[in-house]
Amino acid sequence: MTTVLQIGNRAIAASEIIPLLASYNIIPQLLCESIIDQAIAPITCTKEETADALEQFYQHWDLTSEDKRQAWRERYGLTQEQLELMATRKLRIEKFKQASWGHQLESYFLKRKRQLDKVIYSLIRTEQRGTANELYFRIKEGEQSFAELASEYSIGPEAQTGGIIGPVELGSVAPNFAQLLYTSQVGVIQPPVPFGESWVIVRTEKLVPAQLDNFMRQRLLQENFEAWFKQQLTQLSPEEKIWMGVNAKPAQVQEANVA
């Protein structure tokens, strides 16, 4: 038996690796990482980038001497080239994202901007239409403030904040409600409208336009990366899809289970 991994007193042979991965349900993770590795294989790093990545790797694993580094490589059966690929993997993934979608980020941002814009709004929810109408006219006539009535009458968690919600992205709000918030004039209370099993009174307090800053760029690159990855999963074999939970089991397996 050829030992490939020593854990305490247990020696794990090469022939045991796949059964162990399966029993620990690690096969899906292995498939995921393999898909990514194939995609980033052509991506390279400069000598400086590799050196920086290795230094960070050594610091993280406390590999402060060449003897420790060599022992670490031998323990896990890694060559120096494989270690460099491991250390630079995160950077190469970021380079892959930039190379794949960086050139179209501005147009993608404009397409998504409506959903990425944020809004701050005031809300009162009540189960009765008559109550909603009464509260609306009290606010409109200046008899009581929106915050006072929200604290007293709203049936949602916004009662704890004087009716104020946000800032939240419009994309995280139900589409018809987001449309109401987006098209409402800032600072103008809207008449009660039915929403689910409640009646709601809303007032848009502030619209916060999304900006294509560095944080947003990284987020949009990640969105594209995740969409690409989902597409890759559809190209797996039927057996691999079962591991990943991408779709239903093959027909013959389903029939056997039914029987």
Side-chain angles (χ1 to χ4, degrees):
M1 180 180 77
T2 302
T3 300
V4 296
L5 189 61
Q6 185 76 34
I7 303 178
N9 295 324
R10 181 183 182 185
I12 300 177
S15 60
E16 296 180 87
I17 294 297
I18 297 300
L20 282 174
L21 292 177
S23 66
Y24 296 151
N25 198 30
I26 301 177
I27 294 292
Q29 183 67 24
L30 178 63
L31 290 171
C32 289
E33 303 302 339
S34 296
I35 291 171
I36 295 172
D37 277 344
Q38 291 180 47
I40 66 174
I43 305 295
T44 59
C45 295
T46 66
K47 291 182 178 179
E48 292 77 11
E49 289 171 335
T50 301
D52 288 343
L54 280 172
E55 185 58 33
Q56 293 179 32
F57 185 88
Y58 293 150
Q59 290 180 9
H60 178 77
W61 293 103
D62 193 32
L63 303 176
T64 54
S65 68
E66 185 54 41
D67 288 343
K68 284 186 175 182
R69 295 167 189 174
Q70 182 175 348
W72 199 91
R73 290 195 302 270
E74 291 176 355
R75 175 179 176 82
Y76 297 108
L78 296 171
T79 65
Q80 181 62 24
E81 181 181 4
Q82 289 172 322
L83 182 60
E84 290 177 0
L85 289 175
M86 182 186 298
T88 59
R89 190 171 188 271
K90 183 177 180 180
L91 176 58
R92 289 183 293 118
I93 290 174
E94 294 306 316
K95 285 191 169 189
F96 170 73
K97 294 177 187 176
Q98 187 63 44
S100 300
W101 303 288
H103 63 285
Q104 62 186 35
L105 217 53
E106 285 76 11
S107 60
Y108 181 69
F109 171 72
L110 292 176
K111 180 181 178 180
R112 291 270 286 114
K113 187 177 181 303
R114 175 74 172 268
Q115 296 175 306
L116 297 170
D117 287 343
K118 294 182 178 181
V119 62
I120 300 173
Y121 62 98
S122 293
L123 173 71
I124 295 176
R125 280 183 276 196
T126 179
E127 295 176 342
Q128 302 299 323
R129 180 177 184 177
T131 302
N133 286 330
E134 180 183 347
L135 298 179
Y136 167 71
F137 284 111
R138 283 196 208 174
I139 297 170
K140 193 167 181 63
E141 297 301 322
E143 295 178 10
Q144 286 181 273
S145 70
F146 201 118
E148 289 174 335
L149 294 176
S151 298
E152 183 176 354
Y153 289 97
S154 195
I155 61 175
E158 65 279 351
Q160 305 302 316
T161 61
I164 291 290
I165 295 178
V168 295
E169 289 186 355
L170 285 165
S172 68
V173 180
N176 56 339
F177 192 63
Q179 177 70 12
L180 174 64
L181 294 172
Y182 190 81
T183 55
S184 297
Q185 184 177 343
V186 173
V188 177
I189 186 173
Q190 300 300 307
V193 293
F195 192 78
E197 298 180 355
S198 304
W199 285 83
V200 300
I201 307 167
V202 297
R203 183 174 68 197
T204 298
E205 306 293 354
K206 184 177 182 180
L207 287 171
V208 185
Q211 302 293 325
L212 189 57
D213 53 18
N214 186 60
F215 177 83
M216 182 62 70
R217 287 178 178 274
Q218 294 305 312
R219 172 180 169 178
L220 297 182
L221 284 174
Q222 182 64 21
E223 282 188 10
N224 280 275
F225 178 74
E226 291 175 2
W228 164 84
F229 185 77
K230 288 180 180 179
Q231 177 61 31
Q232 301 309 301
L233 293 181
T234 66
Q235 301 175 26
L236 294 174
S237 69
E239 294 76 17
E240 290 170 335
K241 287 180 179 178
I242 292 174
W243 276 112
M244 299 301 297
V246 174
N247 59 3
K249 296 181 181 180
Q252 62 270 26
V253 177
Q254 291 180 339
E255 292 171 359
N257 286 340
V258 171

